[in-house]
Amino acid sequence: MMPFLRTDLAKLHAYAPHPEAAAHLSSVPVDRLDTNECPYDLPEDLKQKLVWTYQHQIEANRYPEGSHAELKQAIAAYVSESAQTPVQIAPAQVSVGNGSDELIRSLLIATCLSNQGSILVANPTFSMYGILAQTLGIAIVSVPRTETFTLNLEAAQAALDSAQTPNQAPVRAVFVVHPNSPTGNALTESEIAWLRELPPQVLAVIDEAYFEFSQHTLVSELANHPNWVILRTFSKAFRLAAHRVGYAIAHPDLINVLEKVRLPYNLPSLSQAAAHLTLTHRHRLLQSVPETIQQRAILYDALCQIEGLKFWPSAANFIFGSASSDPQNVALGQLLKQHGTSVRTTGGGLRITVGSPAENRRTIERLHQCCTQIITASV
Ligand SMILES: *Cc1c(COP(=O)(O)O)cnc(C)c1O
């Protein structure tokens, strides 16, 4: 390790970015079902509109609009419309990031940096919380989940209470995903009740990256909880993973601080335009969501027929399953990739994105083949 570097970074495992990112450029087609993207690109005419915007409205020599004012307004309107109960979200309650990953980092900077606090996560969950915390030297307290992957609330509460000791930084932020990745379960009523009771000095980060597939949001409760922040993204249902746009919704005082700690021009002009465009055309783009939900049910039923594997129900656009041991999961993931379907091996299982109907048919077929090879071979 170079002597000027922080020694704790030597131990850090970086996030493994989309291993199949270049797969579509290779001659063998691979179904990329490892990062929970939408199976469909933006329609051609919307891409044309973006091209037009780039040619005629974006000045490449000028910095992007740094306040994101128009985008915040459009996001606030969409979030208000998306809540089950009537709620009016103001643009002052919205901050936009270079992916929600940037917002996660801003939240860590705003709450825990310089030994001010640690974070609480329940594994398995989205790995970026832990990775980003480590890059900032922030301690991570991790608690287990139950058999159905709900938080072990007693362990979580005990961790909150015990971390209030003098030589350990207190827990300042609890990260939950609604529904969780990689396991697909939405927060239960008792988990939500626990979040409602968190003390005011602990921030609840509720990551709703998969909201469009679960159709359940906690946005309408934000007004009662100034210590809650909801994260969303354009990377999943809105088909914009390439553009890196995410947003946070919270009390204006928290939003102000997120605006202070972010980089000044964090969102390129074309990404702002793309996000705005997809919001304008959201009714059309989100038409693929009911298909995904229907495909999820078909895929789940078919996966449950496969001997030797267990799958869990999902409220998101992916399904989590496991063979009887982790080495088997790893072997299965590798073999599946050789057969042309890339899934994510994580959290003690396999996370399979719900793709197009044709991709899902291949997933089922190939999993049957691979399971016969791996699982029956081992008994
Ligand atoms: C995909 C995902 C995100 C989105 O991250 P971006 O940086 O906006 O692409 C956030 N949280 C979770 C849990 C995710 O799975």
Side-chain angles (χ1 to χ4, degrees), residues 228-243:
W228 282 15
V229 55
I230 290 177
L231 298 180
R232 299 256 191 99
T233 180
F234 284 85
S235 299
K236 308 286 159 59
F238 277 92
R239 313 186 189 187
L240 285 188
H243 283 282

Side-chain angles (χ1 to χ4, degrees), residues 67-68 72 94-96 255-262:
S67 73
H68 316 140
K72 283 183 181 184
V94 177
S95 183
V96 192
I255 294 299
N256 271 338
V257 173
L258 292 180
E259 294 286 311
K260 276 189 210 176
V261 301
R262 71 170 170 83

Side-chain angles (χ1 to χ4, degrees), residues 99-101 126 129 177 181 207 209-210 233 235-236 244-246:
S100 23
D101 290 350
F126 189 44
Y129 310 132
V177 198
S181 174
D207 190 334
Y210 301 98
T233 180
S235 299
K236 308 286 159 59
R244 312 296 303 121
V245 190

Side-chain angles (χ1 to χ4, degrees), residues 112 115 117-120 133-134 137-141 168-169:
C112 297
N115 256 339
S118 57
I119 64 163
L120 186 128
Q134 277 181 283
I138 292 168
I140 303 148
V141 180
Q168 198 184 347

Side-chain angles (χ1 to χ4, degrees), residues 148-167:
T148 51
F149 300 119
T150 60
L151 305 182
N152 182 326
L153 291 175
E154 277 163 34
Q157 189 58 46
L160 274 194
D161 298 339
S162 78
Q164 312 288 349
T165 55
N167 44 12

Side-chain angles (χ1 to χ4, degrees), residues 76 78-90 93 178 189 192 196 206 208 211 215-226 228-230 232 249-251:
Y78 166 66
V79 173
S80 305
E81 159 196 299
S82 76
Q84 285 93 9
T85 41
V87 54
Q88 204 54 50
I89 298 294
Q93 289 172 268
H178 183 47
E189 223 5 87
I192 297 169
R196 289 190 193 110
I206 302 161
E208 293 188 355
F211 154 71
Q215 305 288 327
H216 186 272
T217 175
L218 291 171
V219 156
S220 57
E221 293 197 43
L222 273 180
N224 306 328
H225 301 283
W228 282 15
V229 55
I230 290 177
R232 299 256 191 99
I249 317 146
H251 190 283

